Amino acid sequence: MQFNPARLELAMDRRRFTARALAELADVTVVSLSQIKTGKQLPQETTIRRIADALEYPPEFFYGNDFDTLPAEAVSFRSLSSVTQRERNAAIAAGGIAYLVSDWLHSKYTLPKANFVDASPERDPATAARALRQTWSLGEKPISNLIKLLESKGIRVFSLAENTKNVDAFSCWRNDEPFIFLNTFKTTERSRFDAAHELGHLVLHKHGGSNQGLQAEAEANAFASSFLMPLADVISEMPRAHSLKQILHGKKRWGVSAAALTYRLHKIGLITDWQYRTFNIQLRSAFKNSEPDSMARETSTLWKMVLEDLWGQKLTRADIAKELNIPHGELENLLFGLTASSDHPPSKNSNVKLSLV
Protein backbone atom coordinates (compact mmCIF):
# COMPACT_ATOMS: atom_id res chain seq x y z
CA MET A 1 0.00 0.00 0.00
CA GLN A 2 1.35 3.42 -0.97
CA PHE A 3 1.74 6.56 1.07
CA ASN A 4 -1.60 8.41 1.37
CA PRO A 5 -1.24 12.24 1.15
CA ALA A 6 -4.76 12.76 2.54
CA ARG A 7 -3.66 11.22 5.82
CA LEU A 8 -0.68 13.55 5.97
CA GLU A 9 -3.09 16.48 5.56
CA LEU A 10 -5.24 15.20 8.44
CA ALA A 11 -2.27 14.69 10.78
CA MET A 12 -0.97 18.18 10.01
CA ASP A 13 -4.39 19.65 10.75
CA ARG A 14 -4.61 17.77 14.05
CA ARG A 15 -1.19 19.07 15.11
CA ARG A 16 -1.97 22.54 13.69
CA PHE A 17 1.28 22.48 11.75
CA THR A 18 2.06 24.73 8.83
CA ALA A 19 4.03 23.22 5.94
CA ARG A 20 7.06 25.28 6.93
CA ALA A 21 6.95 24.13 10.57
CA LEU A 22 6.65 20.48 9.60
CA ALA A 23 9.38 20.78 6.95
CA GLU A 24 11.80 22.15 9.53
CA LEU A 25 10.99 19.44 12.11
CA ALA A 26 11.12 16.63 9.56
CA ASP A 27 14.25 17.96 7.83
CA VAL A 28 12.67 18.15 4.36
CA THR A 29 12.33 21.12 2.05
CA VAL A 30 9.05 23.01 1.85
CA VAL A 31 8.96 22.28 -1.89
CA SER A 32 9.36 18.53 -1.34
CA LEU A 33 6.72 18.52 1.39
CA SER A 34 4.32 20.39 -0.90
CA GLN A 35 4.84 17.81 -3.64
CA ILE A 36 4.32 14.98 -1.14
CA LYS A 37 1.07 16.59 0.10
CA THR A 38 -0.28 16.92 -3.45
CA GLY A 39 0.74 13.39 -4.42
CA LYS A 40 3.26 14.56 -7.01
CA GLN A 41 6.16 12.99 -5.14
CA LEU A 42 6.26 9.60 -3.45
CA PRO A 43 8.35 9.97 -0.28
CA GLN A 44 11.05 7.54 0.68
CA GLU A 45 10.55 5.41 3.77
CA THR A 46 13.14 7.37 5.74
CA THR A 47 11.33 10.62 4.89
CA ILE A 48 8.02 9.16 6.00
CA ARG A 49 9.55 8.15 9.31
CA ARG A 50 10.91 11.65 9.89
CA ILE A 51 7.49 13.14 9.08
CA ALA A 52 5.78 10.61 11.36
CA ASP A 53 8.19 11.38 14.19
CA ALA A 54 7.63 15.12 13.80
CA LEU A 55 3.85 14.68 13.87
CA GLU A 56 4.01 11.98 16.56
CA TYR A 57 1.90 9.61 14.47
CA PRO A 58 2.73 5.95 13.72
CA PRO A 59 4.31 5.62 10.25
CA GLU A 60 1.69 2.96 9.44
CA PHE A 61 -1.04 5.60 9.70
CA PHE A 62 0.13 7.23 6.46
CA TYR A 63 -0.30 4.02 4.47
CA GLY A 64 -4.00 3.62 5.27
CA ASN A 65 -6.91 3.84 2.87
CA ASP A 66 -8.81 7.02 2.18
CA PHE A 67 -11.27 7.89 4.94
CA ASP A 68 -14.42 9.95 5.22
CA THR A 69 -13.86 13.54 6.19
CA LEU A 70 -16.31 16.02 7.65
CA PRO A 71 -17.45 18.52 5.01
CA ALA A 72 -16.91 21.97 6.48
CA GLU A 73 -20.37 23.17 5.45
CA ALA A 74 -22.02 20.24 7.27
CA VAL A 75 -20.37 21.01 10.60
CA SER A 76 -21.96 23.44 13.03
CA PHE A 77 -19.58 25.51 15.16
CA ARG A 78 -21.13 27.50 17.99
CA SER A 79 -18.61 30.36 18.04
CA LEU A 80 -17.96 30.45 14.32
CA SER A 81 -16.80 34.08 14.37
CA SER A 82 -14.08 33.43 16.96
CA VAL A 83 -12.86 30.05 15.69
CA THR A 84 -9.60 30.40 13.79
CA GLN A 85 -9.11 28.44 10.59
CA ARG A 86 -6.44 26.35 12.27
CA GLU A 87 -8.75 25.53 15.21
CA ARG A 88 -11.57 24.71 12.83
CA ASN A 89 -9.39 22.41 10.72
CA ALA A 90 -8.05 20.65 13.83
CA ALA A 91 -11.57 19.99 15.13
CA ILE A 92 -12.80 18.74 11.74
CA ALA A 93 -9.75 16.47 11.50
CA ALA A 94 -10.64 15.04 14.93
CA GLY A 95 -14.02 14.19 13.42
CA GLY A 96 -12.26 12.24 10.66
CA ILE A 97 -10.45 10.16 13.28
CA ALA A 98 -13.74 9.70 15.14
CA TYR A 99 -15.15 8.21 11.93
CA LEU A 100 -12.32 5.65 11.96
CA VAL A 101 -13.10 4.80 15.59
CA SER A 102 -16.83 4.58 14.83
CA ASP A 103 -16.17 2.22 11.93
CA TRP A 104 -14.06 0.08 14.25
CA LEU A 105 -16.95 0.02 16.74
CA HIS A 106 -19.37 -1.04 14.01
CA SER A 107 -17.03 -3.86 13.00
CA LYS A 108 -16.99 -5.24 16.55
CA TYR A 109 -20.43 -4.45 17.98
CA THR A 110 -24.03 -3.95 16.97
CA LEU A 111 -24.81 -0.39 17.97
CA PRO A 112 -28.17 1.36 18.53
CA LYS A 113 -29.61 2.84 15.35
CA ALA A 114 -30.64 6.46 15.08
CA ASN A 115 -34.20 7.10 16.25
CA PHE A 116 -35.20 10.63 15.22
CA VAL A 117 -37.97 12.90 14.11
CA ASP A 118 -37.30 15.04 11.06
CA ALA A 119 -38.33 18.56 12.01
CA SER A 120 -36.63 20.24 9.06
CA PRO A 121 -39.86 21.16 7.20
CA GLU A 122 -41.43 23.06 10.10
CA ARG A 123 -38.31 24.32 11.92
CA ASP A 124 -40.20 25.35 15.06
CA PRO A 125 -37.77 24.53 17.88
CA ALA A 126 -40.26 24.12 20.74
CA THR A 127 -42.57 21.92 18.68
CA ALA A 128 -39.62 19.84 17.49
CA ALA A 129 -38.38 19.39 21.08
CA ARG A 130 -41.82 18.19 22.21
CA ALA A 131 -42.09 15.85 19.22
CA LEU A 132 -38.71 14.29 19.93
CA ARG A 133 -39.55 13.87 23.62
CA GLN A 134 -42.73 12.10 22.58
CA THR A 135 -40.87 9.88 20.11
CA TRP A 136 -38.36 8.96 22.81
CA SER A 137 -41.13 8.41 25.40
CA LEU A 138 -39.67 10.98 27.78
CA GLY A 139 -42.88 12.77 28.65
CA GLU A 140 -42.18 15.89 30.72
CA LYS A 141 -39.67 14.35 33.10
CA PRO A 142 -36.13 15.73 33.56
CA ILE A 143 -33.25 13.95 31.83
CA SER A 144 -30.83 12.53 34.37
CA ASN A 145 -27.98 11.55 32.01
CA LEU A 146 -28.12 13.20 28.61
CA ILE A 147 -25.08 11.44 27.13
CA LYS A 148 -26.53 8.04 27.97
CA LEU A 149 -29.86 9.05 26.43
CA LEU A 150 -28.22 10.26 23.21
CA GLU A 151 -26.18 7.07 22.88
CA SER A 152 -29.25 4.91 23.42
CA LYS A 153 -30.92 6.73 20.51
CA GLY A 154 -28.10 6.01 18.09
CA ILE A 155 -26.07 9.22 18.40
CA ARG A 156 -22.29 8.78 18.48
CA VAL A 157 -20.92 11.11 21.16
CA PHE A 158 -17.22 12.02 21.27
CA SER A 159 -15.31 14.60 23.25
CA LEU A 160 -13.06 17.36 21.97
CA ALA A 161 -9.96 17.95 24.09
CA GLU A 162 -9.00 20.95 21.97
CA ASN A 163 -7.87 23.10 24.91
CA THR A 164 -9.60 26.14 23.43
CA LYS A 165 -12.72 28.01 24.45
CA ASN A 166 -13.49 28.85 20.83
CA VAL A 167 -14.69 25.35 19.91
CA ASP A 168 -17.76 24.78 22.07
CA ALA A 169 -19.21 21.75 20.34
CA PHE A 170 -20.31 20.67 16.89
CA SER A 171 -22.45 18.06 15.24
CA CYS A 172 -22.96 16.47 11.84
CA TRP A 173 -24.68 13.67 9.97
CA ARG A 174 -22.63 10.97 8.27
CA ASN A 175 -25.14 9.36 5.94
CA ASP A 176 -27.87 8.38 8.43
CA GLU A 177 -25.62 8.32 11.49
CA PRO A 178 -25.57 11.40 13.76
CA PHE A 179 -22.44 12.58 15.58
CA ILE A 180 -22.00 15.08 18.42
CA PHE A 181 -18.61 16.36 19.59
CA LEU A 182 -18.47 18.08 22.98
CA ASN A 183 -15.92 20.28 24.70
CA THR A 184 -15.76 18.33 27.97
CA PHE A 185 -13.55 20.89 29.72
CA LYS A 186 -16.73 22.81 30.56
CA THR A 187 -19.05 22.38 33.50
CA THR A 188 -21.49 19.50 33.25
CA GLU A 189 -24.43 21.91 32.99
CA ARG A 190 -22.86 23.79 30.09
CA SER A 191 -21.83 20.56 28.38
CA ARG A 192 -25.39 19.21 28.70
CA PHE A 193 -26.80 22.36 27.12
CA ASP A 194 -24.19 22.14 24.35
CA ALA A 195 -25.24 18.54 23.69
CA ALA A 196 -28.93 19.52 23.57
CA HIS A 197 -28.03 22.47 21.32
CA GLU A 198 -26.25 20.14 18.89
CA LEU A 199 -29.19 17.73 19.08
CA GLY A 200 -31.28 20.68 17.93
CA HIS A 201 -29.05 21.13 14.88
CA LEU A 202 -29.36 17.42 14.06
CA VAL A 203 -33.15 17.56 14.30
CA LEU A 204 -33.82 20.96 12.76
CA HIS A 205 -31.14 21.31 10.12
CA LYS A 206 -30.59 17.89 8.59
CA HIS A 207 -32.45 18.83 5.41
CA GLY A 208 -33.22 22.06 3.71
CA GLY A 209 -31.52 24.56 5.96
CA SER A 210 -28.11 25.75 7.00
CA ASN A 211 -26.88 24.72 10.43
CA GLN A 212 -24.73 27.83 10.60
CA GLY A 213 -25.52 31.48 11.19
CA LEU A 214 -27.36 33.48 13.83
CA GLN A 215 -30.81 32.09 13.00
CA ALA A 216 -29.67 28.47 13.16
CA GLU A 217 -27.92 29.11 16.47
CA ALA A 218 -31.02 30.78 17.93
CA GLU A 219 -33.17 27.85 16.79
CA ALA A 220 -30.78 25.30 18.33
CA ASN A 221 -30.69 27.26 21.59
CA ALA A 222 -34.50 27.41 21.73
CA PHE A 223 -34.67 23.67 21.03
CA ALA A 224 -32.15 22.90 23.81
CA SER A 225 -34.03 25.05 26.32
CA SER A 226 -37.36 23.41 25.51
CA PHE A 227 -35.87 19.91 25.42
CA LEU A 228 -34.07 20.15 28.77
CA MET A 229 -36.70 22.26 30.55
CA PRO A 230 -40.15 21.22 29.25
CA LEU A 231 -42.72 23.98 29.55
CA ALA A 232 -45.34 22.03 31.52
CA ASP A 233 -42.79 20.71 34.01
CA VAL A 234 -41.24 24.14 34.60
CA ILE A 235 -44.65 25.74 35.14
CA SER A 236 -45.64 22.92 37.49
CA GLU A 237 -42.45 23.05 39.56
CA MET A 238 -41.68 26.78 39.51
CA PRO A 239 -44.88 28.77 38.96
CA ARG A 240 -43.21 31.61 40.84
CA ALA A 241 -39.58 32.44 41.56
CA HIS A 242 -38.99 35.12 44.16
CA SER A 243 -35.40 34.42 45.16
CA LEU A 244 -32.05 33.27 43.82
CA LYS A 245 -32.27 30.35 46.24
CA GLN A 246 -35.25 29.01 44.26
CA ILE A 247 -33.25 29.28 41.03
CA LEU A 248 -30.31 27.39 42.53
CA HIS A 249 -32.65 24.69 43.80
CA GLY A 250 -34.52 24.43 40.50
CA LYS A 251 -31.40 24.12 38.32
CA LYS A 252 -30.63 20.78 39.95
CA ARG A 253 -33.93 19.32 38.77
CA TRP A 254 -33.28 19.94 35.09
CA GLY A 255 -29.48 19.70 35.12
CA VAL A 256 -28.93 23.14 33.63
CA SER A 257 -26.99 26.23 34.63
CA ALA A 258 -28.57 28.83 36.87
CA ALA A 259 -28.28 31.31 33.99
CA ALA A 260 -30.08 28.96 31.57
CA LEU A 261 -32.94 28.38 33.98
CA THR A 262 -33.25 32.11 34.66
CA TYR A 263 -33.44 32.77 30.93
CA ARG A 264 -36.06 30.04 30.47
CA LEU A 265 -38.23 31.41 33.29
CA HIS A 266 -38.09 34.87 31.75
CA LYS A 267 -38.74 33.60 28.23
CA ILE A 268 -41.95 31.81 29.24
CA GLY A 269 -43.14 34.71 31.38
CA LEU A 270 -42.69 33.29 34.88
CA ILE A 271 -40.42 36.11 35.99
CA THR A 272 -40.52 39.79 35.08
CA ASP A 273 -37.89 41.81 33.25
CA TRP A 274 -36.87 43.34 36.58
CA GLN A 275 -36.52 39.90 38.23
CA TYR A 276 -34.51 38.61 35.27
CA ARG A 277 -32.01 41.48 35.54
CA THR A 278 -31.85 41.16 39.33
CA PHE A 279 -31.20 37.40 39.31
CA ASN A 280 -28.44 37.80 36.69
CA ILE A 281 -26.77 40.55 38.72
CA GLN A 282 -26.94 38.37 41.83
CA LEU A 283 -25.47 35.39 39.96
CA ARG A 284 -22.55 37.43 38.61
CA SER A 285 -21.92 39.03 42.00
CA ALA A 286 -22.01 35.78 43.97
CA PHE A 287 -20.40 33.32 41.54
CA LYS A 288 -18.77 35.39 38.76
CA ASN A 289 -18.02 32.93 35.91
CA SER A 290 -18.30 29.73 37.95
CA GLU A 291 -21.35 27.47 38.15
CA PRO A 292 -22.82 27.17 41.67
CA ASP A 293 -23.11 23.64 43.00
CA SER A 294 -22.18 22.03 39.69
CA MET A 295 -23.39 18.49 39.13
CA ALA A 296 -21.18 15.42 38.63
CA ARG A 297 -19.68 14.79 35.21
CA GLU A 298 -21.78 12.66 32.88
CA THR A 299 -20.00 9.73 31.28
CA SER A 300 -20.57 7.44 28.34
CA THR A 301 -22.47 4.23 28.98
CA LEU A 302 -21.65 2.85 25.54
CA TRP A 303 -17.91 3.29 25.90
CA LYS A 304 -17.95 1.90 29.41
CA MET A 305 -19.56 -1.24 28.05
CA VAL A 306 -17.06 -1.47 25.19
CA LEU A 307 -14.07 -0.99 27.47
CA GLU A 308 -15.45 -3.51 29.97
CA ASP A 309 -15.82 -6.08 27.18
CA LEU A 310 -12.31 -5.37 25.89
CA TRP A 311 -10.90 -5.63 29.40
CA GLY A 312 -12.43 -9.09 29.59
CA GLN A 313 -10.42 -9.92 26.47
CA LYS A 314 -7.32 -8.38 28.08
CA LEU A 315 -7.40 -5.49 25.58
CA THR A 316 -7.11 -1.79 26.34
CA ARG A 317 -7.66 1.55 24.65
CA ALA A 318 -4.02 1.43 23.58
CA ASP A 319 -4.82 -1.76 21.66
CA ILE A 320 -7.65 0.00 19.82
CA ALA A 321 -5.30 2.84 18.86
CA LYS A 322 -2.67 0.35 17.69
CA GLU A 323 -5.20 -1.54 15.56
CA LEU A 324 -6.27 1.74 13.92
CA ASN A 325 -2.67 3.00 13.59
CA ILE A 326 -3.54 6.26 15.36
CA PRO A 327 -1.73 7.86 18.30
CA HIS A 328 -3.04 6.69 21.64
CA GLY A 329 -3.45 10.35 22.57
CA GLU A 330 -5.92 10.91 19.74
CA LEU A 331 -8.19 8.17 21.03
CA GLU A 332 -7.84 9.52 24.55
CA ASN A 333 -8.90 12.95 23.30
CA LEU A 334 -12.04 11.53 21.73
CA LEU A 335 -12.96 9.68 24.93
CA PHE A 336 -11.72 12.29 27.42
CA GLY A 337 -14.42 13.17 29.91
CA LEU A 338 -16.69 10.40 28.61
CA THR A 339 -15.02 7.46 30.37
CA ALA A 340 -13.87 8.92 33.67
CA SER A 341 -15.28 5.95 35.56
CA SER A 342 -14.49 3.26 33.01
CA ASP A 343 -13.00 1.02 35.69
CA HIS A 344 -16.53 0.36 36.97
CA PRO A 345 -18.99 -1.90 35.13
CA PRO A 346 -22.00 -0.23 33.49
CA SER A 347 -25.37 -0.30 35.18
CA LYS A 348 -27.41 -3.40 34.43
CA ASN A 349 -30.38 -1.10 33.94
CA SER A 350 -28.68 0.81 31.13
CA ASN A 351 -30.91 1.40 28.12
CA VAL A 352 -27.94 1.38 25.73
CA LYS A 353 -28.06 -1.92 23.86
CA LEU A 354 -24.71 -3.26 22.70
CA SER A 355 -23.90 -6.70 21.30
CA LEU A 356 -21.01 -8.32 19.48
CA VAL A 357 -21.16 -8.53 15.70
Side-chain angles (χ1 to χ4, degrees):
M1 188 174 292
Q2 285 191 338
F3 180 85
N4 189 336
R7 290 190 166 226
L8 172 59
E9 189 81 29
L10 181 142
M12 288 180 63
D13 283 342
R14 283 302 298 140
R15 299 307 191 211
R16 304 183 190 184
F17 273 14
T18 63
R20 183 172 299 277
L22 177 59
E24 289 179 1
L25 283 174
D27 193 24
V28 297
T29 66
V30 175
V31 173
S32 293
L33 183 60
S34 176
Q35 291 180 330
I36 292 171
K37 284 180 62 180
T38 57
K40 296 178 181 179
Q41 177 180 323
L42 192 63
Q44 297 181 348
E45 185 175 338
T46 53
T47 302
I48 295 173
R49 289 196 172 276
R50 291 202 304 273
I51 290 174
D53 287 343
L55 292 168
E56 297 182 345
Y57 266 67
E60 294 80 9
F61 172 82
F62 301 99
Y63 292 94
N65 295 322
D66 287 339
F67 50 86
D68 287 348
T69 56
L70 282 69
E73 67 277 6
V75 176
S76 62
F77 283 92
R78 181 78 60 84
S79 304
L80 189 61
S81 61
S82 58
V83 176
T84 68
Q85 189 63 46
R86 196 168 295 178
E87 288 172 333
R88 183 179 174 85
N89 290 344
I92 290 175
I97 295 178
Y99 282 172
L100 293 178
V101 176
S102 182
D103 288 343
W104 177 89
L105 266 180
H106 278 292
S107 73
K108 304 291 184 182
Y109 302 95
T110 300
L111 304 175
K113 293 184 178 180
N115 179 13
F116 266 69
V117 294
D118 185 1
S120 300
E122 61 178 31
R123 296 281 294 279
D124 178 66
T127 302
R130 288 195 299 270
L132 187 61
R133 274 183 159 269
Q134 183 177 12
T135 299
W136 288 356
S137 301
L138 298 177
E140 299 288 326
K141 64 183 180 180
I143 299 168
S144 59
N145 187 323
L146 185 56
I147 290 179
K148 182 170 74 171
L149 173 66
L150 297 178
E151 290 178 332
S152 73
K153 303 305 179 183
I155 302 171
R156 311 298 170 232
V157 183
F158 290 95
S159 66
L160 286 170
E162 295 303 283
N163 198 26
T164 174
K165 294 180 179 179
N166 291 339
V167 181
D168 279 325
F170 66 89
S171 56
C172 60
W173 284 91
R174 183 195 187 196
N175 300 321
D176 290 324
E177 189 172 35
F179 287 76
I180 289 179
F181 298 84
L182 298 174
N183 185 332
T184 50
F185 282 106
K186 298 183 177 182
T187 65
T188 303
E189 290 85 354
R190 181 63 186 275
S191 187
R192 277 168 58 91
F193 197 91
D194 282 350
H197 176 103
E198 297 308 324
L199 178 62
H201 279 308
L202 294 173
V203 171
L204 295 167
H205 306 132
K206 182 180 181 182
H207 304 295
S210 172
N211 61 358
Q212 299 177 1
L214 293 178
Q215 181 180 345
E217 291 300 292
E219 290 172 350
N221 273 336
F223 176 96
S225 188
S226 296
F227 187 76
L228 291 174
M229 296 168 279
L231 178 63
D233 194 44
V234 174
I235 293 175
S236 173
E237 292 294 322
M238 294 192 69
R240 295 179 182 83
H242 299 298
S243 67
L244 183 61
K245 183 178 180 180
Q246 288 175 279
I247 300 288
L248 298 181
H249 178 75
K251 74 183 252 342
K252 296 178 183 179
R253 175 177 177 82
W254 294 288
V256 297
S257 68
L261 177 56
T262 304
Y263 180 86
R264 177 68 165 155
L265 292 172
H266 181 247
K267 192 73 174 177
I268 61 181
L270 294 182
I271 59 175
T272 65
D273 292 347
W274 179 84
Q275 287 175 307
Y276 179 62
R277 288 194 297 270
T278 300
F279 287 149
N280 278 318
I281 291 171
Q282 290 175 342
L283 282 171
R284 287 194 296 270
S285 175
F287 306 106
K288 295 184 170 53
N289 294 324
S290 62
E291 181 60 38
D293 199 14
S294 186
M295 60 192 295
R297 174 71 59 189
E298 290 186 353
T299 55
S300 165
T301 298
L302 185 145
W303 273 105
K304 284 182 183 179
M305 296 173 73
V306 168
L307 295 174
E308 275 292 312
D309 184 71
L310 292 176
W311 184 251
Q313 304 173 46
K314 300 191 183 306
L315 298 174
T316 66
R317 280 179 279 199
D319 294 306
I320 301 175
K322 185 176 181 180
E323 186 173 339
L324 294 174
N325 292 320
I326 61 175
H328 185 204
E330 290 289 16
L331 183 61
E332 288 294 303
N333 283 346
L334 291 171
L335 303 186
F336 179 82
L338 299 179
T339 57
S341 303
S342 60
D343 53 327
H344 297 297
S347 169
K348 294 181 180 179
N349 296 322
S350 168
N351 57 355
V352 179
K353 304 301 180 184
L354 183 71
S355 59
L356 290 170
V357 172

